[in-house]
DNA sequence: ACCTGAACACCGTTCAAGT
DNA sequence: ACCTGAACACCGTTCAAGT
């Protein structure tokens, strides 16, 4: 009531809750505070509502997380939709590359999304649609159904623009503290050798030397070129 | 006291707690009940002890999970240790393949481990040692430091024998319910086409058709062969 | 020193009650 | 119909107390 003092009871002040608003808010909470911030109570607070109200729009927390994946995939679809389809069979690789890198750009704005996507126990319909599109590009390129099937598995999460790394860039930078190199050299001779070459090539390097984007593209091209070769051996 | 009635106070009855025993028990709990079963209270109960006792041997739950990764990697190292090193540069691929597939066998016994490994915020020393060994094999094969570095990123988690998939095999089998194919065909023409070809090739197929092991090896070989080609172009 | 009981500040979720 | 308050059964963790 107090909230309406001074302004008439306009519909603006208290937008009714909806599944869509819940999911968008969950995405916003995750973007700002990371995945740990996505709690029923946390999302509710961001909506100015009680936690229990959410249960009228999503079945439970897992269903809410399922929904955030749909929000992100819708965003990806919107970015990719205007891209040109391949104009000849040989263009399948370029088209796939563009689509995947566009998806990646969206995911970089939602760093929590890969973790959520990989933790789903049932497949999102929109992820299935995405995979279907990738599969279609393989077919345009002339890959057999069987090879296309293998190709999907080989790409894995790279088909959606991400690739979970075992080394975190931050860790690498820490480990590269030059004072530690000698100590590490005994057990990690090759990693130390690699780091020293980086220092030699670029003495000013901060050693936060992994360019995620470049590494992603390297791995993606390695796979796409390999598949292309299997399809049309010379 | 009551526990010792009837048996003398032998040291057998009450093995003292230790960091090692805590970590091994955490692994056992995860193997049996999955990652969700790994709670401080749950692991403590499996040890016949109170939850708070664990904190004398691990700093907190994250440190306990760090420790389970070490347990699994120690198991991997033990399996890989007896394997022959490459006897000539060209053998690097075979050696790497054997090591990685051996690691994979261990991980298949600990299905929760990939999730835990990927969720670590700092890199495990033993994972670093493992990566160092893989890096060493690239060097044996004649790859430059720079290419070896790219190669590590391209392999990603495959270097440790796993690959998180977006499609779960179970889901694929469900989705392949033949009654649903027509309904799916509109939005997923390529996936449906792929499934229909599988049915055509093997009418008795249960459609739980993805052989994880075969797909893993396909993707691994695709990457290793591609790297080999970059190193020694013909 | 090692282990414990009680307590705290969180979770997701249920249920009966409000409007 | 939609939202809420109180409660339940869990978490990880702290702290003072036991032996």
């Amino acid at each position: 009531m107090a909230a309406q003092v001074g302004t008439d009871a306009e519909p603006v002040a208290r937008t009714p809750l909806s599944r869509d608003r819940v999911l968008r808010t969950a995405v916003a909470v995750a973007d700002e505070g990371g995945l740990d911030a996505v709690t029923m109570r946390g999302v509710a607070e961001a909506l100015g509502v009680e936690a229990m109200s959410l249960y009228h729009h999503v079945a439970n927390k897992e269903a809410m997380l399922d929904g955030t994946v749909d929000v992100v995939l819708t965003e990806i679809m919107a970015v990719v939709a205007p891209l040109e389809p391949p104009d000849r069979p040989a263009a399948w690789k370029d088209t796939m590359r563009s689509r995947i890198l566009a998806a990646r750009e969206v995911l970089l704005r939602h760093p929590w999304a890969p973790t959520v996507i990989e933790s789903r126990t049932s497949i999102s319909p929109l992820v299935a649609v995405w995979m279907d599109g990738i599969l279609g590009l393989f077919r345009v390129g002339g890959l057999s159904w069987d090879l296309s099937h293998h190709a999907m598995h080989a790409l894995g999460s790279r088909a959606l623009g991400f690739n979970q790394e075992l080394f975190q860039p931050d860790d690498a930078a820490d480990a590269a503290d030059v004072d530690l190199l000698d100590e590490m050299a005994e057990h990690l001779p090759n990693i130390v050798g690699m780091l020293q070459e980086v220092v030699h090539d670029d003495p000013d390097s901060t050693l936060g030397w992994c360019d995620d984007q470049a590494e992603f593209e390297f791995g993606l091209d390695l796979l796409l070129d390999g598949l292309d070769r299997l399809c049309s051996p010379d």
Side-chain angles (χ1 to χ4, degrees), chain A:
Chain A
M1 301 172 168
Q4 291 175 356
V5 169
T7 75
D8 289 282
E10 296 179 73
V12 181
R14 181 175 276 251
T15 317
L17 222 47
S18 70
R19 179 179 160 81
D20 202 60
R21 233 159 67 83
V22 169
L23 299 183
R24 284 178 196 286
T25 304
V27 168
V29 169
D31 288 344
E32 268 175 55
L35 210 46
D36 289 344
V38 181
T39 64
M40 299 304 276
R41 286 171 171 86
V43 173
E45 193 187 7
L47 282 160
V49 104
E50 296 298 315
M52 300 71 207
S53 305
L54 303 182
Y55 286 89
H56 290 273
H57 300 98
V58 294
N60 51 40
K61 190 189 176 182
E62 284 303 300
M64 188 173 78
L65 290 176
D66 289 347
T68 64
V69 173
D70 288 340
V71 170
V72 170
L73 259 102
T74 302
E75 196 178 333
I76 289 174
M77 304 284 195
V79 171
V80 168
L83 297 185
E84 297 295 329
D87 55 355
R88 61 209 147 73
W92 73 273
K93 265 200 296 183
D94 289 336
T95 303
M96 187 176 293
R97 204 172 187 284
S98 302
R99 280 198 207 175
I100 289 177
L101 293 182
R104 177 176 177 78
E105 271 183 51
V106 172
L107 288 177
L108 290 177
R109 299 202 292 267
H110 306 293
W112 48 272
T115 301
V116 174
I117 291 170
E118 283 193 337
S119 70
R120 296 309 81 202
T121 54
S122 63
I123 191 164
S124 148
L126 290 182
V127 171
V129 169
W130 178 263
M131 302 302 256
D132 195 79
I134 297 291
L135 200 48
L137 287 181
F138 283 133
R139 294 292 291 167
V140 167
L143 279 69
S144 69
W145 284 117
D146 189 52
L147 183 54
S148 299
H149 176 213
H150 291 320
M152 293 301 297
H153 282 281
L155 277 185
S157 65
R158 255 184 261 252
L160 255 171
F162 68 96
N163 179 225
Q164 304 282 42
E165 302 261 0
L166 294 181
F167 277 115
Q168 238 78 0
D170 287 350
D171 298 327
D174 289 349
D177 182 330
V178 179
D179 290 343
L180 289 177
L181 285 184
D182 286 343
E183 189 184 327
M184 287 168 59
E186 186 182 357
H187 296 105
L188 307 174
N190 298 298
I191 291 176
V192 169
M194 190 172 74
L195 294 177
Q196 281 170 340
E197 162 127 328
V198 173
V199 175
H200 180 265
D201 288 356
D202 179 8
D204 293 332
S205 163
T206 61
L207 292 186
W209 84 101
C210 301
D211 179 341
D212 278 353
Q213 182 69 23
E215 299 301 347
F216 181 85
E217 294 186 20
F218 177 86
L220 179 61
D221 289 336
L222 192 60
L223 287 164
L224 296 185
D225 290 342
L227 291 165
D228 194 17
R229 204 180 316 264
L230 284 179
C231 172
S232 48
D234 38 27

